[in-house]
Amino acid sequence: MKKITLLSLAVSFAFATGAQAKVDEQQVKKLSNELTPFGAVRGANADGSIPAWKGGITSPPSGYEPGMHHLDPFPQDKVLYTVTAENVEKYKDVLTPGQIKLFETYPSTFKMNVYQTRRTASYPQHVYDETLKNAARSELIQQGNGITQAAVGIPFPIPANGLEAIWNHILRYRGEALTREGGQVMPTSSGDYTYIGFDEQLMIPYGVKGASPEKLEESNILFMFKQKVTEPDSRVGTALLVHETMDQIKTERQAWIYNKGIGREQKAPTVAYDAPGTASDGLRTTDDFDMFNGAPNRYTWTLKGKQELLIPYNDYRLHSDKLTYEQIVQAGHINPEYVRYEKHRVWVVEANLKENTRHIYKKRVFFIDEDSWQIAVTDIYDDRDEMYRVGMAHGINYYEVPTHWSTLDVFHDLQSKRYIAIGLDNEHKMYDFSAKLRKSKFRSRALRIENR
């Protein structure tokens, strides 16, 4: 894997200051000419294939209104080149080992259409302001399994180690609350599938404008998530509630499940780590959701530096309500005709399983978009050190927030030659980031009341 030979000024500065040192706010401001508010390199790369960041998308394209599936702001963009199994060797320096393995696994059908790079990630000004404050005050605690003095924005825009980088992904801004409809599919090796529909609600105290670190630490709640199965009929009556904590050593993740057959909610302590994901056919773990979530305490995290990489980005075509699930879902992988790849700089973070700790994944390598801290690609290895799974997040800018977030997460299981696609919503209503949610709706008894 080819790395950028000269790391950005941000990385050099971070390593020079020491692994746990906080960054002085004035120094962050001084660096603002070289860095974006989230710590990315502001300028273009050497050959100009990655342009300078100029604020991202600051206004939606003409004709867009909240509630619509997000219109493609670049409908005129054409494919620059296509990576296939025949020419993959030419592009190996901008691919992960997992991506290369996908070409080996599906040589006749998998391809990557590469487009002009558009650095579209953008966030509200108050998120940038809080990120500056976080840079001077946020610290890891509990050997990196918790965080203190962080609120709303990215806690470590100039990360000094792998734990700080993965916490940036976990805590990245995604608004304050939302409701959404959508679902997932787990096609067989022949491409047959059953759509599993969900109705989900997410309340994010960490994202609330004006939220203080002190109040967040007192409540120790990062977000509250509620999910109920809406289809097929055979699965209706199942629901999940999660209270995600900021310090999972102080208080572990709290989770409850409801099954209509039992008729009551039950505590679910196993909804974490490598427990199978909801209705996933065992094709993803619980901590695969959102590419990675939960306590990082079972791994040793190493910040490897940066790389220029082809990643899914600005996938508005894949997101469109003009597409049906039948058009997207096919055997082996989603339809590559609807996927847009671009070259971006990514942080590379390697997670290795600690001794005397268990997880079905021995090693995970995360490739994190520098502009948004969204994990874009993850390469996953089994206990034989063989490539096991490859995950890719297909991101867009949600204009009404704004925030950069995935519209679809896909995990490819290379051993079974199957995959799970999470977040299919083309045939459903769009996310509602303006939803007004009450804490009372996230109590465990609400599962029984709402689903009986």
Side-chain angles (χ1 to χ4, degrees):
M1 180 174 66
K2 182 179 179 181
K3 303 289 177 58
I4 295 176
T5 54
L6 294 176
L7 297 179
S8 70
L9 179 59
V11 181
S12 302
F13 179 81
F15 284 124
T17 56
Q20 293 297 323
K22 289 185 288 187
V23 178
D24 180 83
E25 184 174 344
Q26 294 304 315
Q27 291 172 307
V28 173
K29 289 181 178 179
K30 184 177 180 181
L31 289 172
S32 64
N33 289 331
E34 290 85 14
L35 304 177
T36 73
F38 272 19
V41 177
R42 186 177 291 267
N45 68 344
D47 64 7
S49 56
I50 299 174
W53 183 79
K54 296 182 179 179
I57 291 179
T58 56
S59 60
S62 176
Y64 170 77
E65 295 181 4
M68 297 172 60
H69 279 67
H70 299 73
L71 302 177
D72 188 349
F74 316 113
Q76 75 284 358
D77 284 2
K78 304 297 183 184
V79 176
L80 299 179
Y81 57 91
T82 299
V83 185
T84 66
E86 286 70 34
N87 65 7
V88 67
E89 184 70 17
K90 177 180 177 181
Y91 299 103
K92 65 180 182 180
D93 288 344
V94 289
L95 299 171
T96 77
Q99 289 174 323
I100 293 172
K101 196 71 174 178
L102 286 172
F103 286 104
E104 296 175 4
T105 307
Y106 307 106
S108 62
T109 59
F110 185 72
K111 66 179 182 179
M112 296 169 64
N113 288 328
V114 182
Y115 292 76
Q116 175 181 350
T117 298
R118 306 278 194 172
R119 296 179 68 178
T120 52
S122 62
Y123 299 87
Q125 185 58 48
H126 77 271
V127 175
Y128 294 143
D129 294 341
E130 289 300 321
T131 295
L132 276 175
K133 296 176 184 177
N134 287 342
R137 68 191 178 193
S138 298
E139 292 184 283
L140 298 177
I141 56 175
Q142 303 280 22
Q143 291 77 51
N145 298 306
I147 192 167
T148 186
Q149 288 296 304
V152 183
I154 298 301
F156 307 109
I158 305 176
N161 54 58
L163 270 169
E164 290 186 352
I166 203 65
W167 271 107
N168 284 346
H169 166 79
I170 293 170
L171 296 179
R172 71 200 191 282
Y173 181 77
R174 287 160 284 178
E176 300 184 8
L178 69 89
T179 60
R180 62 186 181 188
E181 297 177 2
Q184 64 187 34
V185 296
M186 299 81 63
T188 64
S189 57
S190 63
D192 295 330
Y193 68 90
T194 297
Y195 181 84
I196 309 295
F198 298 114
D199 185 345
E200 298 176 336
Q201 298 179 9
L202 182 64
M203 190 172 181
I204 315 173
Y206 182 84
V208 174
K209 183 177 182 179
S212 70
E214 292 75 20
K215 287 186 177 180
L216 289 168
E217 288 173 33
E218 182 180 352
S219 69
N220 198 30
I221 295 293
L222 172 59
F223 65 77
M224 293 177 284
F225 173 74
K226 186 165 58 176
Q227 178 192 73
K228 67 178 181 180
V229 179
T230 58
E231 57 180 298
D233 290 344
S234 60
R235 292 181 180 265
V236 172
T238 302
L240 169 69
L241 172 66
V242 174
H243 289 184
E244 186 78 339
T245 55
M246 294 182 67
D247 180 351
Q248 296 201 5
I249 302 301
K250 177 182 176 182
T251 306
E252 292 183 350
R253 166 186 287 167
Q254 304 294 298
W256 298 263
I257 56 174
Y258 175 84
N259 185 295
K260 197 169 184 177
I262 299 174
R264 60 184 174 85
E265 69 277 13
Q266 294 179 304
K267 200 73 179 290
T270 59
V271 180
Y273 301 112
D274 59 355
T278 303
S280 67
D281 259 9
L283 292 173
R284 74 164 177 89
T285 62
T286 295
D287 61 8
D288 277 331
F289 192 76
D290 195 32
M291 304 305 285
F292 180 81
N293 73 90
N297 61 316
R298 294 192 179 182
Y299 289 92
T300 298
W301 300 83
T302 305
L303 186 63
K304 308 292 285 188
K306 280 193 176 180
Q307 179 185 359
E308 294 182 0
L309 191 71
L310 298 180
I311 60 176
Y313 219 94
N314 293 313
D315 257 322
Y316 294 95
R317 190 178 182 198
L318 182 63
H319 170 80
S320 172
D321 59 355
K322 304 298 188 293
L323 284 183
T324 66
Y325 302 142
E326 290 286 344
Q327 290 175 290
I328 295 171
V329 180
Q330 62 179 40
H333 48 77
I334 62 173
N335 192 331
E337 294 296 342
Y338 302 119
V339 181
R340 175 178 177 133
Y341 291 89
E342 300 178 1
K343 185 193 292 185
H344 287 261
R345 283 181 292 244
V346 297
W347 293 96
V348 183
V349 177
E350 184 174 300
N352 287 281
L353 190 64
K354 294 178 179 177
E355 291 186 8
N356 302 316
T357 303
R358 69 163 306 280
H359 198 290
I360 64 170
Y361 300 156
K362 183 178 179 181
K363 184 174 81 171
R364 306 158 92 157
V365 184
F366 297 99
F367 302 87
I368 308 174
D369 171 40
E370 69 167 347
D371 288 332
S372 65
W373 291 100
Q374 163 77 52
I375 294 172
V377 181
T378 175
D379 287 354
I380 301 169
Y381 298 80
D382 62 19
D383 59 7
R384 299 168 296 176
D385 296 315
E386 294 182 359
M387 189 71 66
Y388 182 11
R389 291 174 175 166
V390 182
M392 286 196 273
H394 300 265
I396 64 169
N397 187 310
Y398 291 86
Y399 312 129
E400 67 272 43
V401 185
T403 184
H404 177 95
W405 197 3
S406 171
T407 182
L408 188 69
D409 292 344
V410 182
F411 282 87
H412 305 84
D413 188 301
L414 300 176
Q415 296 175 3
S416 66
K417 293 189 177 181
R418 296 182 63 197
Y419 67 94
I420 179 170
I422 310 163
L424 285 165
D425 57 13
N426 308 71
E427 299 178 26
H428 288 76
K429 290 193 302 184
M430 186 32 50
Y431 296 8
D432 180 6
F433 287 95
S434 65
K436 303 298 181 184
L437 303 178
R438 296 194 305 247
K439 288 184 179 179
S440 61
K441 294 294 186 180
F442 292 88
R443 294 172 182 166
S444 58
R445 66 180 181 181
L447 287 181
R448 180 174 68 254
I449 294 171
E450 294 174 3
N451 292 281
R452 62 187 176 190

